[in-house]
Amino acid sequence: MILTDQGELAAPERAMVIVAHPDDIDFGMAGTVAALTSAGCHVAYCLATSGEAGDDDMSHTPDELAAMRQAEQTAAAARVGVSDLHWLGHPDGMVVADLGLRRDIARAIRISRPDVVMCQTTVPNWDHIYISHPDHLATATAALAAVYPDARNPRAFPELLDEGHKPHSVSEIWLTGTEPNRYVDITDTFERKMAALKEHHSQVAQFDELDERVREWCTSTAELGGMSEGRLAEAYRVVPAG
């Protein structure tokens, strides 16, 4: 079970988190992931890029930065009980919600066979431009198309059948960043979320008072969800997909 604004909720047996970049999960969803894995859910990560454009330090080649960020994300995933990572290798900063990305995400879904897919919103947030990175929006758009209809439709990308990947239907989508209707209590997993986030050394070293800032975000989210004082939360728009 996991705790939500609606009380205890049975955790799905399997979930997949689909995002654009290393660290996207840990800023947005890692507390929930830790709660899910603690409840016995198998969680897989699917990352459209390896984050090779995510550093202004030009002394690193893109390949070096990709390797660094994959290692950081792998270490971060371990902090919250995840060891199953799918790297799609699309170009960081140039992600397009095209048929190639839809196919690659559909393949990952058919391999992992999640009950729940968690991803970012497809809708720009004009108050927070960083949330609205075009890679985030494109990956989310492709992820929704991969959930429905691609992953479940045997006629979509017939090469996936040739590879041995049978169709799979996802039951629910949990979207971050848009009109939430579920708040997940991460008070007990907040420290694991922060431990995961701090594995992204290349990304968070420049943040002053990281713990305080993230705690403030999660406190505000819990308040919006009507949770009691002192609780911490992450929020989702739950969309039936079954």
Side-chain angles (χ1 to χ4, degrees):
M1 306 293 286
I2 61 174
L3 292 175
T4 75
D5 58 314
Q6 300 156 11
E8 289 190 339
L9 177 72
E13 291 187 10
R14 302 181 68 83
M16 171 171 273
V17 189
I18 303 170
V19 296
H21 312 112
D23 83 11
D24 288 349
I25 294 168
D26 300 299
F27 272 110
M29 313 168 189
T32 302
V33 171
L36 288 171
T37 59
S38 293
C41 177
H42 175 275
V43 180
Y45 288 175
C46 178
L47 296 103
T49 81
S50 295
E52 69 275 10
D55 195 330
D56 294 338
D57 181 356
M58 298 300 289
S59 67
H60 299 296
T61 68
D63 287 347
E64 289 170 343
L65 188 54
M68 180 190 308
R69 298 202 66 193
Q70 284 196 13
E72 289 173 349
Q73 181 63 85
T74 300
R79 293 283 193 174
V80 292
V82 175
S83 59
D84 184 5
L85 289 82
H86 301 254
W87 297 96
L88 304 186
H90 288 253
D92 186 11
M94 296 182 284
V95 178
V96 178
D98 60 10
L99 292 175
L101 182 57
R102 285 171 55 175
R103 179 202 60 225
D104 293 346
I105 296 175
R107 178 188 291 110
I109 290 172
R110 291 190 187 190
I111 291 171
S112 189
R113 309 187 77 76
D115 305 300
V116 168
V117 159
M118 302 166 67
C119 64
Q120 294 155 302
T121 180
T122 63
V123 181
N125 184 327
W126 303 121
D127 295 320
H128 300 283
I129 194 65
Y130 295 109
I131 295 174
S132 303
H133 191 297
D135 284 359
H136 297 174
L137 304 180
T139 301
T141 298
L144 294 182
V147 167
Y148 177 78
D150 300 337
R152 69 183 61 189
N153 183 357
R155 297 185 183 275
F157 307 114
E159 62 268 32
L160 297 182
L161 283 180
D162 294 339
E163 295 169 10
H165 306 309
K166 296 180 180 179
H168 175 73
S169 294
V170 172
S171 297
E172 285 186 341
I173 304 163
W174 296 8
L175 295 165
T176 64
T178 183
E179 299 178 342
N181 58 8
R182 177 172 297 159
Y183 296 80
V184 177
D185 190 323
I186 64 162
T187 310
D188 294 339
T189 58
F190 180 77
E191 295 305 323
R192 292 176 68 191
K193 172 186 176 73
M194 293 309 304
L197 194 51
K198 290 174 183 177
E199 292 289 353
H200 298 279
H201 306 288
S202 67
Q203 304 301 301
V204 302
Q206 73 273 23
F207 281 92
D208 295 327
E209 301 178 338
L210 180 65
D211 291 74
E212 291 80 1
R213 292 173 67 178
V214 177
R215 183 176 291 274
E216 287 176 3
W217 299 338
C218 294
T219 297
S220 297
T221 300
E223 291 172 351
L224 289 172
M227 293 182 177
S228 58
E229 184 176 354
R231 307 309 290 180
L232 304 169
E234 293 170 345
Y236 304 90
R237 178 75 183 184
V238 177
V239 179

